[in-house]
Amino acid sequence: MKDPDHRSEARLYLAGFGLALTLTLIPFALVHWALLQGRTLAITIAVLAIAQIVVHLRFFLHIDLSRQKREDLQLILFTVMLLAIMALGTLWIMGNLATRM
Amino acid sequence: MSEHNLHPGLNLGARHGAAHEGAETILFGFWIFLMSDLVIFGLVFASYLTVANPTGAAGGPGPAEAFDLRSVFAQTVILLSSSLTFGFATLAMRHETGRRSIASWLIVTLFLGIGFLAMELRDFAHMIDVGAVPSRSGFWSAFWGLVPLHGVHVTVGCLWIVVMLIQLATLGLIPVVKMRVLRLGLYWHFLDLIWVGIFSIVYLGGQMR
Amino acid sequence: MIHTIFGRLDLSSLSLWRAIQDPTVSELVAAGAATAVLLGALVTVSLLTWFRLWGPLWRDWLTSVDHKRIGIMYCALALIMLARGVIEGVLMRTQQAFGLHGGFLTPDHFSQLFSTHGTIMIFFVAMPFIAGVINYVMPLQIGARDMAFPVMNQISLGLTATGAALVMISLVLGKFATGGWANYPPYTGSDFQPGPGPDYWIWSIVLAGIGTTLSGINFAVTLYKERAPGMTFLRMPIFCWTVICTSIIMIFALPPLTVAALMLAADRYLDFHFFTNDLGGNMMNYVNLFWLFGHPEVYLLVIPAYGIFSEVISTFSGKRIYGYMSMVYATMSIAVLSFCVWLHHFFTMGQSANINAAFGIASMAIAVPTGIKVYNWMATIFRGRVRMTVPMIYATGFFYLFVIGGLSGVMLANPVISYQVHNTLFLVAHFHNVIIPGVLFGLLAGYHYWFPKAFGFRLNEGWGRAAAYLWIAGFSFTFLPLYWLGLHGMPRRSATFSDPAFQPTLWLALFGAVLILAALTCLAVQLWVSIRDRDSLTVPLGDPWDGRSLEWSIPSPPPEYNFAMQPQVAARDDFAEAKTKSRAYTEPEEYEDIEMPNNTAIGMIICVCATLFGLALVFWMWWLAALSFLAIVLSITLPTFLTETTHVIPAAKIAAEHRAWLDKVKDASAVDRLEETQESNLGRALLERPTRIEAAE
Ligand code: HEM
Ligand SMILES: [Cu+2]
């Protein structure tokens, strides 16, 4: 790795790796040592997972907020919106049906 | 990355000429494909959650009896490392450090992928032993519909790496090969993203009840 | 041994054999259909051999990656399947007309008919027809040379053909599902239907669905990345906007169908319990997943039809489309809203009234953007130079009938009403009322409108008019009475009925069905007559209707490379503006070499292997399934080792062709709109009121 650009980009990957690893370690630790319970635990896991997904997107998939090309970001956000409608809708409907059986 | 990004993911950079330009269209298409695949995973996740309850379990074994969190943690770290090593492979390609270094990073990634699959298969064998099989209950059907779906994706990714290694050797670093490695990279990182959902929702979530 | 090779395929799978064993009317009808399929195949093969057409067929069509040829093949597939679908529809109408306490078909056979009819009409008529028109028109309208991924385009066609082939084969081997086009479990689970029927449905839908998803990706990327210079999003013809919306649906709404169908397959093949009655299965989730696909699907079908009507209405009114921006917003909001309303297909499943209300309101909201569109179309016609050509007749029929269908849709969006008419013929009337005047009329209008572009000659006007009027009348007689029957409680999907009061209305519906059959016949005769008289219908200069968008600025049929030089777009409706500002038909200073993709056999190989794969799974021939799957994998992987995938068309050849055409254009006399449908129309339009055709923007 002679190229300084190369080295700095590699360092970014390592930073992403470190962050992602931390965000993995925490929830596993929380569950393994039963540090949190119930709802709090569920919410914490969800928040950490979303944070880790953002880290992956930023450091490995290079999706960022730079102004140059937004098509990628728009595509992802649009997908997330449709998926949220479909998946949350499914949970809502099926959950409601389950309570009424 | 200071230069103009034509497309998401790691850009090859202007000095790669045709491959850089061509990647714009091809990578955009591949992103759309991944997003379509994401919807598939998302709905399987949602279906999993709708049966992750006593009715769905139908008196069969629960998650706590069948999952081995240590093994899942190891799989997570392996897959995460493979994302890193794949990143190094794309960096090697971007900065033109030669076919050998690209190939070696790809081989490391391949072995990590195979390691992940081996551990996953061992977990599956254990589940079969304790009776956590799809024919047992709706819950286990959903589990076996979701986690192996990711496993199949990883298998395809591994085969793809093999094909790319062969093409690196036979075709060399021509533009189409570079664009394929870029796409493979997106695919590989995407699978790691899905895995975050799996370990959080299925494995850690399963331990909570 | 025999079981290892043939799986569960045996003599009794042959419908001809069944008819010999048990010659009831029902079995004879089935055997007749099987014979028709076999004879059709035989006649096609022998004609191709007799006229020595295998070579050209293979070289020019089956291995072509040209979006225009692929588009035409999609349309041909759709029209063939339409014939089968309509015949099945008429057969069902006949059965019901005679169905007071009986009729001539067994209930099981009737169920097969509505299942294949529904599946075919949606997946193998409407979808391929739409994919065909999009394939043909969209790249031309944005000034592209081809799709972004030409080979993948061919694979999509191959997979669609696979699905259609499986449904056709089910007439001869085994039986198709009896679970309707939605194929709900647990009725279609292995407990209740152990036979091959539901498996046919699963594999034809899954394989064709993969093709559709790939098409969606291809359309979207083409629209994003292959537009000609100057063709900004807001200069695209409305049809292209509708294609964006349709591709969104293809990309994001096909996955739920794939998921639902594959889960059902896992239940049937691997003893999973996703949707079974016992052991924690949840069949309601299938209904949920299916309609997560199913509702966006109907908008996948109708949105491009809106696009076609927009083009047709603006061209044949000699005006630019009224309210371009509101059209764009309306189309986009329909596309997104279509993902928010799926529950209106199962209001009666038992969820709480609040959920029903939420989805009911969302469903009614779709009427708003749709209404905007209808007003825009009417405003486009207003004070236009209107010509009542065949596409405009369809458009008029569409206005009246589609609005009725839309209004009955708003009624159905009210859960209270839906509870009353659920599963009755009211629903059948409603969806045929939007699908036939909406989707099918739109497609037929597009077929007449773009046919001269594709083949260089117009379609016969007289037979076309006859067909259009017959479709409109036939539709009205067949389906409007069903609203009444439904409101009076006649259930759908039933072979017989017991209330004699329904009898006269069902006879009326049968009369309508006969008119539809006549309409179909007129379409066939028209095609025949037009091909026979093609010399007097010829429009080689390319612009028979005084068109407004780029596809009319090139010869008919267009050359392989579409545009001799890349168009520079300066306005919305660029060709219309170019004609008024005399920048149409100009010769470029310099021609350039054009690189085009080579022909390939990948699509055909995948089509054949995937058909074998589907059949093998249906009949449990595991060795064949493995083998054909391997063949598919190899036929995708191996060609990636080839590096010579394009050829170059030299500039000199392009220059010669283009100049020859330009000379013909200069020599030809331009015709005015009164002569549009006459022999003198060679495809050069006279500018009638140049002052009134202002450029957009
Ligand atoms: C052209 C003349 C047509 C006739 C005579 C016709 C007739 C029928 C009849 C009799 C049924 C069964 C109704 C029942 O359940 O009792 C039916 C169902 C259906 N038709 Fe048509 N139809 C026609 C065109 C179409 C078209 C163009 C489409 C869609 C593109 C279509 C889609 C369907 C669907 C989805 C069903 C429901 C199948 C099911 O119950 O699962 N039909 N049609
Ligand atoms: Cu709907």
Side-chain angles (χ1 to χ4, degrees):
Chain A
M1 286 192 201
K2 315 250 153 45
D3 195 338
D5 274 355
H6 193 166
R7 220 173 303 146
S8 65
E9 284 167 22
R11 230 175 282 132
L12 268 181
Y13 268 93
L14 283 170
F17 179 74
L19 271 175
L21 196 61
T22 322
L23 290 168
T24 304
L25 269 171
I26 300 173
F28 271 97
L30 291 179
V31 171
H32 186 73
W33 284 295
L35 300 176
L36 291 177
Q37 259 86 34
R39 232 186 144 73
T40 355
L41 179 61
I43 294 173
T44 318
I45 292 180
V47 170
L48 291 171
I50 293 171
Q52 187 172 355
I53 286 175
V54 173
V55 167
H56 281 231
L57 282 173
R58 171 67 192 80
F59 291 93
F60 296 155
L61 288 158
H62 302 272
I63 302 295
D64 51 35
L65 300 176
S66 70
R67 290 196 172 271
Q68 292 171 352
K69 279 269 166 177
R70 286 267 173 95
E71 272 156 21
D72 46 335
L73 187 63
Q74 283 161 0
L75 174 68
I76 293 172
L77 291 178
F78 187 72
T79 312
V80 168
M81 178 187 79
L82 290 183
L83 184 57
I85 295 173
M86 296 198 249
L88 297 180
T90 299
L91 294 178
W92 186 32
I93 297 165
M94 302 318 292
N96 179 273
L97 279 163
T99 63
R100 290 163 65 87
M101 296 241 260
Chain B
M1 267 133 268
S2 50
E3 48 201 312
H4 188 66
N5 285 339
L6 280 174
H7 54 77
L10 193 61
N11 275 258
L12 279 174
R15 83 193 106 154
H16 288 265
H20 183 49
E21 313 255 300
E24 184 190 357
T25 307
I26 276 195
L27 262 79
F28 186 60
F30 198 71
W31 262 102
I32 300 182
F33 164 74
L34 290 180
M35 291 298 103
S36 185
D37 208 20
L38 178 66
V39 175
I40 291 198
F41 273 111
L43 292 171
V44 181
F45 270 117
S47 303
Y48 173 84
L49 285 174
T50 60
V51 285
N53 52 41
T55 320
E65 298 147 53
F67 295 160
D68 173 1
L69 262 201
R70 280 164 207 277
S71 164
V72 174
F73 181 69
Q75 289 167 42
T76 309
V77 175
I78 293 180
L79 207 58
L80 188 59
S81 317
S82 78
S83 254
L84 183 70
T85 54
F86 205 111
F88 287 155
T90 18
L91 279 184
M93 183 167 75
R94 174 174 154 84
H95 293 282
E96 301 183 307
T97 54
R99 258 199 267 185
R100 284 196 91 116
S101 63
I102 303 175
S104 359
W105 283 120
L106 283 182
I107 291 174
V108 176
T109 313
L110 177 63
F111 278 112
L112 290 171
I114 294 174
F116 168 86
L117 286 173
M119 293 195 72
E120 183 160 64
L121 284 177
R122 212 195 49 184
D123 280 6
F124 287 165
H126 171 69
M127 287 177 207
I128 293 173
D129 280 345
V130 300
V133 287
S135 55
R136 180 59 191 83
S137 70
F139 172 76
W140 286 110
S141 297
F143 172 88
W144 286 87
L146 173 58
V147 180
L149 181 66
H150 174 269
V152 168
H153 275 74
V154 176
T155 315
V156 171
C158 289
L159 291 175
W160 191 353
I161 295 184
V162 172
V163 173
M164 289 328 295
L165 285 171
I166 300 175
Q167 295 200 341
L168 273 175
T170 54
L171 302 177
L173 266 177
I174 57 174
V176 279
V177 172
K178 287 185 193 168
M179 293 191 282
R180 281 178 199 144
V181 174
L182 278 184
R183 269 179 286 171
L184 177 53
L186 288 189
Y187 181 78
W188 198 265
H189 295 312
F190 169 77
L191 290 186
D192 206 5
L193 263 186
I194 300 292
W195 184 255
V196 175
I198 290 185
F199 81 68
S200 303
I201 295 178
V202 176
Y203 287 118
L204 296 180
Q207 226 62 21
M208 277 171 24
R209 233 154 280 114
Chain C
M1 182 62 201
I2 221 89
H3 276 290
T4 325
I5 298 178
F6 290 108
R8 56 172 165 175
L9 186 67
D10 57 20
L11 260 187
S12 66
S13 307
L14 291 170
S15 45
L16 292 173
W17 179 256
R18 286 198 303 268
I20 296 170
Q21 299 277 301
D22 174 27
T24 55
V25 181
S26 224
E27 287 296 351
L28 288 176
V29 171
T35 321
V37 172
L38 291 175
L39 275 183
L42 206 68
V43 169
T44 318
V45 168
S46 24
L47 283 181
L48 285 172
T49 315
W50 180 256
F51 291 106
R52 297 174 186 276
L53 287 175
W54 284 105
L57 180 71
W58 180 256
R59 276 191 306 277
D60 296 343
W61 293 93
L62 299 181
T63 59
S64 169
V65 290
D66 182 341
H67 71 97
K68 300 184 287 299
R69 289 178 187 260
I70 289 179
I72 292 170
M73 286 188 279
Y74 266 117
C75 293
L77 175 71
L79 287 171
I80 294 171
M81 298 306 282
L82 176 71
R84 171 167 171 199
V86 168
I87 291 172
E88 284 176 333
V90 175
L91 196 59
M92 281 188 285
R93 287 265 62 85
T94 318
Q95 156 68 22
Q96 279 188 338
F98 294 96
L100 186 60
H101 307 302
F104 54 97
L105 296 178
T106 59
D108 192 57
H109 192 180
F110 189 81
S111 315
Q112 252 187 72
L113 279 174
F114 67 67
S115 307
T116 44
H117 167 83
T119 309
I120 287 179
M121 283 297 198
I122 300 284
F123 292 102
F124 303 116
V125 175
M127 302 262 275
F129 211 156
I130 278 171
V133 174
I134 293 178
N135 251 298
Y136 197 92
V137 175
M138 183 268 285
L140 293 179
Q141 285 197 330
I142 59 171
R145 295 226 186 281
D146 206 326
M147 286 289 180
F149 309 117
V151 177
M152 192 168 92
N153 201 19
Q154 195 196 43
I155 294 175
S156 295
L157 171 66
L159 288 172
T160 310
T162 296
L166 285 176
V167 185
M168 289 314 264
I169 293 173
S170 79
L171 277 181
V172 182
L173 292 180
K175 282 183 174 176
F176 200 77
T178 51
W181 83 285
N183 216 40
Y184 282 178
Y187 174 61
T188 52
S190 41
D191 287 348
F192 299 98
Q193 288 204 40
D199 302 324
Y200 262 123
W201 184 89
I202 290 172
W203 299 115
S204 56
I205 293 311
V206 167
L207 294 169
I210 295 171
T212 307
T213 312
L214 297 180
S215 288
I217 297 174
N218 220 335
F219 298 156
V221 177
T222 308
L223 279 162
Y224 261 82
K225 303 288 182 188
E226 307 290 326
R227 298 190 312 278
M231 178 61 85
T232 57
F233 275 119
L234 288 179
R235 282 183 187 157
M236 293 195 310
I238 292 290
F239 179 70
C240 292
W241 273 102
T242 63
V243 177
I244 293 191
C245 295
T246 283
S247 3
I248 289 176
I249 298 177
M250 286 178 168
I251 294 160
F252 297 112
L254 263 290
L257 176 67
T258 313
V259 168
L262 286 181
M263 284 178 170
L264 183 60
D267 279 6
R268 290 180 58 84
Y269 285 82
L270 302 169
D271 199 17
F272 276 49
H273 290 276
F274 283 113
F275 309 126
T276 52
N277 277 330
D278 55 346
L279 290 176
N282 186 350
M283 68 288 280
M284 291 184 293
N285 193 29
Y286 179 93
V287 178
N288 172 65
L289 288 173
F290 182 84
W291 290 108
L292 267 172
F293 147 80
H295 188 84
E297 161 75 10
V298 303
Y299 281 93
L300 184 165
L301 300 180
V302 86
I303 288 178
Y306 292 162
I308 296 173
F309 280 127
S310 304
E311 303 295 307
V312 160
I313 289 173
S314 116
T315 303
F316 289 111
S317 303
K319 281 172 68 187
R320 66 187 153 101
I321 193 85
Y322 181 88
Y324 180 92
M325 282 313 293
S326 63
M327 269 329 214
V328 171
Y329 285 126
T331 313
M332 284 306 281
S333 41
I334 292 177
V336 173
L337 271 177
S338 76
F339 283 92
C340 311
V341 299
W342 72 97
L343 183 130
H344 65 211
H345 294 272
F346 48 95
F347 278 143
T348 54
M349 200 155 78
Q351 60 282 357
S352 76
N354 286 344
I355 297 189
N356 276 356
F359 279 88
I361 293 168
S363 309
M364 293 180 198
I366 295 194
V368 176
T370 315
I372 292 177
K373 288 179 150 258
V374 174
Y375 285 113
N376 279 340
W377 288 315
M378 295 200 298
T380 307
I381 295 177
F382 182 61
R383 289 197 176 154
R385 174 82 169 86
V386 181
R387 291 94 70 190
M388 285 309 278
T389 50
V390 175
M392 278 304 265
I393 297 175
Y394 281 115
T396 317
F398 161 76
F399 278 150
Y400 289 111
L401 295 172
F402 188 78
V403 169
I404 298 178
L407 289 176
S408 67
V410 179
M411 288 169 70
L412 283 167
N414 182 336
V416 184
I417 299 181
S418 177
Y419 258 82
Q420 290 305 311
V421 295
H422 186 75
N423 243 346
T424 67
L425 285 181
F426 190 88
L427 182 77
V428 176
H430 158 70
F431 68 71
H432 283 90
N433 198 169
V434 277
I435 284 182
I436 295 179
V439 182
L440 199 64
F441 285 10
L443 287 166
L444 289 174
Y447 163 70
H448 282 80
Y449 180 60
W450 281 301
F451 187 94
K453 178 50 52 190
F455 295 100
F457 57 95
R458 285 177 290 112
L459 284 168
N460 178 294
E461 199 68 13
W463 284 102
R465 271 165 214 259
Y469 287 126
L470 279 169
W471 267 113
I472 293 173
F475 165 80
S476 308
F477 277 110
T478 313
F479 291 102
L480 298 182
L482 301 194
Y483 280 121
W484 185 88
L485 283 170
L487 282 174
H488 287 78
M490 178 160 173
R492 72 187 280 207
R493 291 179 180 166
S494 47
T496 62
F497 61 98
S498 51
D499 184 348
F502 295 156
Q503 184 77 75
T505 324
L506 283 166
W507 279 96
L508 196 63
L510 177 60
F511 169 67
V514 174
L515 294 186
I516 290 183
L517 212 52
L520 197 69
T521 318
C522 286
L523 280 178
V525 173
Q526 179 201 35
L527 187 61
W528 168 257
V529 170
S530 314
I531 295 176
R532 192 192 61 199
D533 301 342
R534 60 185 174 281
D535 290 336
S536 62
L537 296 166
T538 176
V539 286
L541 307 182
D543 183 22
W545 316 123
D546 193 10
R548 314 180 60 78
S549 37
L550 291 181
E551 77 267 32
W552 305 109
S553 68
I554 52 174
S556 290
E560 176 198 1
Y561 45 84
N562 292 352
F563 298 91
M565 69 283 180
Q566 209 176 28
Q568 303 285 330
V569 179
R572 217 176 264 166
D573 284 357
D574 190 68
F575 185 53
E577 206 212 45
K579 282 187 282 189
T580 58
K581 300 208 168 142
S582 334
R583 57 178 173 80
Y585 307 116
T586 45
E587 199 183 317
E589 279 156 26
E590 198 177 17
Y591 290 90
E592 278 167 17
D593 289 352
I594 296 177
E595 195 181 354
M596 296 300 291
N598 285 343
N599 280 7
T600 161
I602 300 179
M604 271 321 279
I605 296 174
I606 290 184
C607 176
V608 171
C609 297
T611 310
L612 286 177
F613 179 63
L615 268 183
L617 288 176
V618 168
F619 288 106
W620 299 356
M621 297 184 262
W622 309 123
W623 62 274
L624 183 59
L627 218 61
S628 45
F629 184 74
L630 192 69
I632 295 176
V633 173
L634 288 181
S635 60
I636 294 172
T637 335
L638 292 182
T640 60
F641 283 85
L642 301 175
T643 46
E644 293 292 313
T645 53
T646 57
H647 61 277
V648 170
I649 305 176
K653 178 166 180 269
I654 296 161
E657 286 177 6
H658 193 231
R659 290 198 185 112
W661 173 69
L662 281 179
D663 287 342
K664 270 200 252 164
V665 171
K666 300 235 164 67
D667 294 345
S669 60
V671 298
D672 77 2
R673 293 305 96 204
L674 293 172
E675 290 171 79
E676 198 160 52
T677 54
Q678 287 164 21
E679 205 177 325
S680 51
N681 184 358
L682 292 180
R684 170 104 202 253
L686 185 74
L687 283 187
E688 293 197 305
R689 286 175 299 171
T691 47
R692 293 211 45 183
I693 308 174
E694 328 88 320
E697 290 164 307

